[in-house]
């Protein structure tokens, strides 16, 4: 059972454009929703995260939009740059000190000049 | 920010040998560490949860005798792939949580280990 569904699987965006990646979840007990960026041969790095008490969080060019009623959240990358080309994973977890993250399947983003 | 050091970054071994991968939290104490496996162009698959001083909890389908996990201190967890076979070739990633009970907001990942079994 896939608890976090991520789309699209791959994405090509022109430099300067907006990259949008979507995730949906089923478990209403999830209360933490991070996005990770992973470059080839490297471990994932936390990009930005949100909790359900807010509908949007912005950090620089990265914004998370959260829709609790629809059980969906998305990552927006504004002014996308070639250096943003990477694989992005959404994730979710329940409130617990030892609960592992549940990851989406990932989105391979390519930003072309 | 907190750093998790994973070593080695790449290892090539012969079939039948054992390989140990280390995961260290450099500037914090990690009571919980997670080990993941990642196939090319795929997501991270949780293998086991490692708690300091106790036995690791393995996910369904992960052989505990094949993938030995030791979390002997608050800064070090090791994953040993025993009697490695080519199908064990994969990218292995550890993650460590800073501050017990703080959830995943203080979760940091290592840089991964690419294991190739010949």
């Amino acid at each position: 059972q896939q608890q976090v569904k991520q789309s699209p699987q791959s994405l090509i965006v022109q430099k300067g454009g907006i990259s949008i990646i979507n995730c949906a979840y089923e478990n209403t007990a999830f209360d933490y929703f991070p996005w990770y960026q992973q470059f080839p041969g490297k471990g994932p790095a936390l990009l930005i995260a949100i909790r359900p008490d807010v509908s949007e969080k912005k950090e620089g060019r990265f914004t998370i939009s959260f829709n609790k009623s629809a059980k969906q959240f998305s990552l927006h990358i504004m002014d996308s740059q070639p250096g943003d080309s990477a694989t992005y994973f959404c994730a979710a977890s329940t409130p617990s000190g030892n609960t592992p993250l549940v990851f989406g399947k990932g989105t391979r983003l390519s930003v072309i000049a | 920010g907190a750093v998790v050091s994973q070593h080695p970054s790449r290892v090539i071994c012969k079939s039948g040998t054992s390989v140990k991968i280390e995961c260290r939290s450099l500037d914090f104490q990690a009571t919980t560490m997670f080990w993941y496996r990642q196939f090319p162009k795929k997501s991270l698959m949780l293998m086991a949860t490692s708690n300091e001083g106790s036995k690791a909890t393995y996910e369904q389908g992960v052989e505990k005798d094949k993938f030995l996990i030791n979390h002997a201190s608050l800064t070090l967890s090791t994953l040993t792939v025993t009697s490695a076979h080519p199908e064990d070739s994969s990218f292995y990633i550890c993650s460590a949580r800073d501050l017990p009970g703080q959830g995943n907001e203080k979760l940091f990942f290592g840089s991964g280990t690419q294991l190739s079994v010949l």
Side-chain angles (χ1 to χ4, degrees), chain A residues 41, chain B residues 6-15 17-22 35 79-82 84-86 88-93 111-118:
Chain B
Q6 189 172 339
H7 180 81
S9 59
R10 181 178 293 272
V11 58
I12 301 172
C13 69
K14 292 182 178 180
S15 185
T17 61
S18 295
V19 174
K20 179 184 285 188
I21 302 170
E22 293 187 348
W35 287 95
L79 167 67
T80 301
V81 183
T82 62
H85 287 91
D88 299 325
S89 299
S90 189
F91 193 57
Y92 294 88
I93 309 170
S111 55
T113 297
Q114 182 64 52
L115 170 63
S116 299
V117 184
L118 305 178

Side-chain angles (χ1 to χ4, degrees), chain B residues 45-47 58-63:
Chain B
M45 181 186 76
L46 181 66
M47 298 176 67
Y58 289 82
E59 295 299 302
Q60 189 174 13
V62 178
E63 299 176 59

Side-chain angles (χ1 to χ4, degrees), chain B residues 43-60:
Chain B
S43 188
L44 287 77
M45 181 186 76
L46 181 66
M47 298 176 67
T49 300
S50 168
N51 292 298
E52 186 267 337
S54 62
K55 290 184 178 180
T57 303
Y58 289 82
E59 295 299 302
Q60 189 174 13

Side-chain angles (χ1 to χ4, degrees), chain A residues 1-106:
Chain A
Q1 179 186 4
Q2 185 183 351
Q3 296 192 56
V4 180
K5 293 184 179 181
Q6 184 172 346
S7 62
Q9 187 174 0
S10 62
L11 182 62
I12 299 175
V13 174
Q14 290 275 355
K15 178 182 177 182
I18 302 174
S19 303
I20 302 174
I21 305 171
N22 301 298
C23 280
Y25 63 97
E26 291 295 326
N27 189 347
T28 55
F30 286 150
D31 78 333
Y32 176 66
F33 304 89
W35 284 91
Y36 284 85
Q37 179 188 57
Q38 185 181 30
F39 292 104
K42 300 294 183 182
L46 179 65
L47 198 59
I48 187 171
I50 198 169
R51 287 198 176 271
D53 53 344
V54 296
S55 60
E56 186 175 281
K57 183 175 181 180
K58 183 176 181 180
E59 290 184 1
R61 295 185 295 111
F62 302 95
T63 300
I64 297 180
S65 295
F66 185 81
N67 186 328
K68 188 174 181 178
S69 60
K71 291 186 286 187
Q72 296 175 346
F73 59 109
S74 61
L75 174 69
H76 295 231
I77 305 175
M78 313 299 286
D79 187 26
S80 299
Q81 299 296 313
D84 296 330
S85 298
T87 299
Y88 292 82
F89 293 97
C90 63
S93 68
T94 57
S96 166
N98 289 329
T99 305
L101 287 169
V102 177
F103 283 90
K105 290 192 172 183

